[in-house]
Every structure is written in structure tokens, then in C-alpha cells.
Amino acid sequence: MTRKIIIDTDPGQDDAVAILLALASPNDLDVLGITAVAGNVPLPLTERNTRIVCELAGKPDTPVFAGCDAPLARPLVTAEHVHGTTGLDGPVMQDPVMALQDKHGVDFIIDTLRELPEKTVTLCPLGPLTNIATAFQKAPDIIPRVQEIVLMGGAYFQVGNITPAAEFNIYVDPEAADIVFKSGAPIVAMPLDVTHKALTTADRVEAFRAKGTEPCRMVAEWTNFFERFDKEKYGSEGAPLHDPCVIAYLIQSDLFSGRHINVQIETEGRLTLGMTVADWWRITDHPANVTFMNQIDAEGFFALLTDRIGRL
Ligand code: RIB
Ligand code: CA
């Protein structure tokens, strides 16, 4: 039984790898559509990059939609310092040929959740939560219809990557994250606490290159570009492949483990804006609202990625 998903994304090299993994797994995942959001780079680039990746996967019929171009209540913060000016720096990428859908990404999310049977569609946000929160605000009736939200975002023991306290996806639109985390929809979060254990070591990058396919070559090229930032900042031996953790979980959930706990979003802190305040030790009696992952079988994760993307 394939799982029906909508990917919401801000490519970004790691988003691109996540999209390739999803499109390479048709026996596990039915990608109903991909909605782009402003994040790593502005919306015109994230929607362009999404279409480029769909074509690279050989799936130009994948419906791609442009969503929101700015956070709910704040100016957009981008991450060209990590992803480069195009968002997919590393190899030179040709402009896409496949068309962008006319419908707004938020309306695609709303219409899909209304049209399909309830609890049969999983939302997979890989960037700021602006599109998801806007859909929930515009059409609250869709919230109980969501099967699950499996997202990349947040951090607790790993603290911040865009500020000392906050992870990028949450920091860019903390009001949107607050709406989603309070929505009542079942949430699985892949925070930096787990993604920082999925590092692209030289051997792992070489395993992609050794597949000899264009998608795998691109993954190696993107990784070589993307990892320079994290290696310099953390002194690590590679870069964390954040977003593919979301898709890998949907395909092979036993690669991951974590805790079902209460997580709240800081929306006012002068120093802590965008922090995911995770009650990991259950100090409060606030109800658990998120399965917050912190362990990964990294070898199994990269074996899955290399095998699946190697099939494209
Ligand atoms: O903090 C990492 C997250 O921010 C990833 O989703 C990356 O693509 C950026 O969006
Ligand atoms: Ca992303």
C-alpha cells in the first residue's frame, strides 16, 4: 500500500536529495504533488529548483506548485550562505522545461485534503511551515483530515544553526510553526538532534558517485558544495542530510527513534525566537504533541538513499 504524500519544500540541496528519494520510491510513496515555499532562497528559485529536481528524477509529470513567498508575519530570511545564490549551487543546473501548475500551493494542499478520504494524506514539510500554516488558517476543516505531518525542523540538544537557539526552518516563520505544532495533527519531527547524525562522509558521497547515474552524480556534487559550510562550522567530517530523513522515515521508519513529547515554539523571545522548546525530560504536564526524533541508523539511512536514488 503506497502512502500518499505532499512534499512542501525550499530546495536547497538537501531538499533536492529528499525529493529524489521520494520520486525513486513509487512502491512506497505516491507523491500527489510538491509545493514550493520561500526559505533557503526566494520562492521563484525554490519553485524553479523543485521542477529541476523532478526532471532530473525523470518525473516531469509531477505536479509542482508555488506557495507562499514570505513568512506569515516577518520578513523572509534566506540561507544563500549555505546553499549558494541559486539554492542548488555546486553543479550548473539547466532551467526546467516542465510547467509550474497555475494553482497556488496552499490551495492544492487544501483541495487535496478535502477531496481524498480523511487520514489518507501525509504532509512532508522540508522548509519553513508558511504554506502548511496558511492552509490550516484558510481551511481549518482540513486539519483533522491530515494523516500525519512528518517534518524537518527544530532542535533541542543540538541547539540552533541560524541563531544560537533556533533551527532555520522554524526560525524563518515561527508563527507558522506555532500554528502547526498547536494544530492537533499528529507530528513526527526530524530536528537537528537526529539530522546531525546523518553526515555525508567521503565514503558515503563516493558510494553515490560510484553508481554512475546522473542523479547520483548530482547528489555527490550538491553534497560537496553544501557540506563546506557545516564542516567549517562544526569541524565535522561531512554535512548533515537534513531533509531526506523525512522521506527515509516514511519508507523505513525503524531507521529512527525518539520520544513523544511536548514541543512548543518560542515566538517572542529576543534571544530565543524560533526555538523549539522540547520537554524532553517531561518536566511539565503539557500534553505530548510531537514525536521528536534523536536517533538514526546512519549506515542504513545512506544505504537506503544510495540504493533508491541509484535506481533513477
Ligand atoms: O536547518 C536545516 C533546514 O533548513 C533544512 O531543511 C534545509 O534545507 C534548510 O531549509
Ligand atoms: Ca529545506
Side-chain angles (χ1 to χ4, degrees):
M1 179 76 167
T2 58
R3 187 158 177 170
K4 297 184 186 314
I5 69 171
I6 295 173
I7 298 174
D8 188 69
T9 183
D10 64 335
Q13 290 89 348
D14 61 318
D15 301 70
V17 178
I19 294 167
L20 289 178
L21 176 60
L23 296 177
S25 306
N27 294 334
D28 299 276
L29 303 173
D30 178 2
V31 181
L32 301 174
I34 305 179
T35 51
V37 67
N40 285 318
V41 287
L43 181 66
L45 284 172
T46 58
E47 70 84 357
R48 168 190 180 270
N49 294 344
T50 301
R51 290 186 286 142
I52 286 174
V53 177
C54 289
E55 290 183 336
L56 176 64
K59 305 286 174 84
D61 297 332
T62 307
V64 174
F65 305 81
C68 298
D69 62 3
L72 295 184
R74 299 173 184 275
L76 177 63
V77 171
T78 52
E80 285 88 349
H81 60 291
V82 178
H83 299 275
T85 51
T86 71
L88 282 185
D89 282 26
V92 174
M93 310 296 299
Q94 300 303 318
D95 281 331
V97 173
M98 68 180 279
L100 179 71
Q101 300 293 315
D102 293 334
K103 183 179 282 191
H104 191 286
V106 168
D107 293 327
F108 171 72
I109 292 168
I110 294 170
D111 294 346
T112 304
L113 282 165
R114 283 177 170 163
E115 287 160 13
L116 270 66
E118 67 173 0
K119 307 272 188 211
T120 62
V121 177
T122 293
L123 302 179
C124 304
L126 309 179
L129 290 163
T130 315
N131 285 344
I132 311 301
T134 303
F136 285 4
Q137 283 184 315
K138 189 174 178 183
D141 60 286
I142 67 172
I143 297 173
R145 303 184 64 84
V146 174
Q147 178 178 27
E148 194 168 47
I149 299 173
V150 184
L151 64 86
M152 191 279 142
Y156 189 59
F157 294 101
Q158 280 292 306
V159 289
N161 63 357
I162 189 74
T163 73
E167 178 278 325
F168 180 79
N169 287 342
I170 308 299
Y171 178 74
V172 169
D173 200 339
E175 284 75 16
D178 193 36
I179 288 167
V180 172
F181 277 61
K182 284 178 179 168
S183 69
I187 299 173
V188 174
M190 296 288 166
L192 299 181
D193 300 58
V194 70
T195 69
H196 279 186
K197 296 171 182 172
L199 297 181
T200 58
T201 61
D203 289 350
R204 289 166 177 168
V205 176
E206 186 46 42
F208 282 109
R209 207 178 284 282
K211 284 286 184 179
T213 62
E214 185 64 1
C216 283
R217 186 178 74 80
M218 285 298 175
V219 171
E221 296 295 316
W222 287 331
T223 300
N224 283 336
F225 179 87
F226 172 74
E227 70 182 8
R228 82 211 181 288
F229 174 79
D230 286 88
K231 286 170 90 168
E232 185 180 324
K233 177 176 176 178
Y234 295 105
S236 55
E237 58 172 315
L241 269 188
H242 307 285
D243 295 336
C245 289
V246 167
I247 306 302
Y249 171 80
L250 294 171
I251 298 169
Q252 199 175 331
S253 60
D254 63 3
L255 289 171
F256 301 89
S257 63
R259 276 188 194 175
H260 191 51
I261 56 171
N262 180 266
V263 178
Q264 298 186 53
I265 310 297
E266 179 55 71
T267 58
E268 297 171 5
R270 186 169 57 83
L271 301 174
T272 57
L273 180 69
M275 180 176 182
T276 45
V277 182
D279 189 3
W280 184 260
W281 303 114
R282 298 188 175 103
I283 293 166
T284 74
D285 58 358
H286 297 311
N289 57 334
V290 180
T291 299
F292 201 76
M293 295 299 189
N294 78 323
Q295 294 298 337
I296 181 174
D297 166 2
E299 285 305 316
F301 172 71
F302 279 96
L304 175 69
L305 262 60
T306 310
D307 170 58
R308 289 294 172 92
I309 297 173
R311 298 181 188 181
L312 290 174

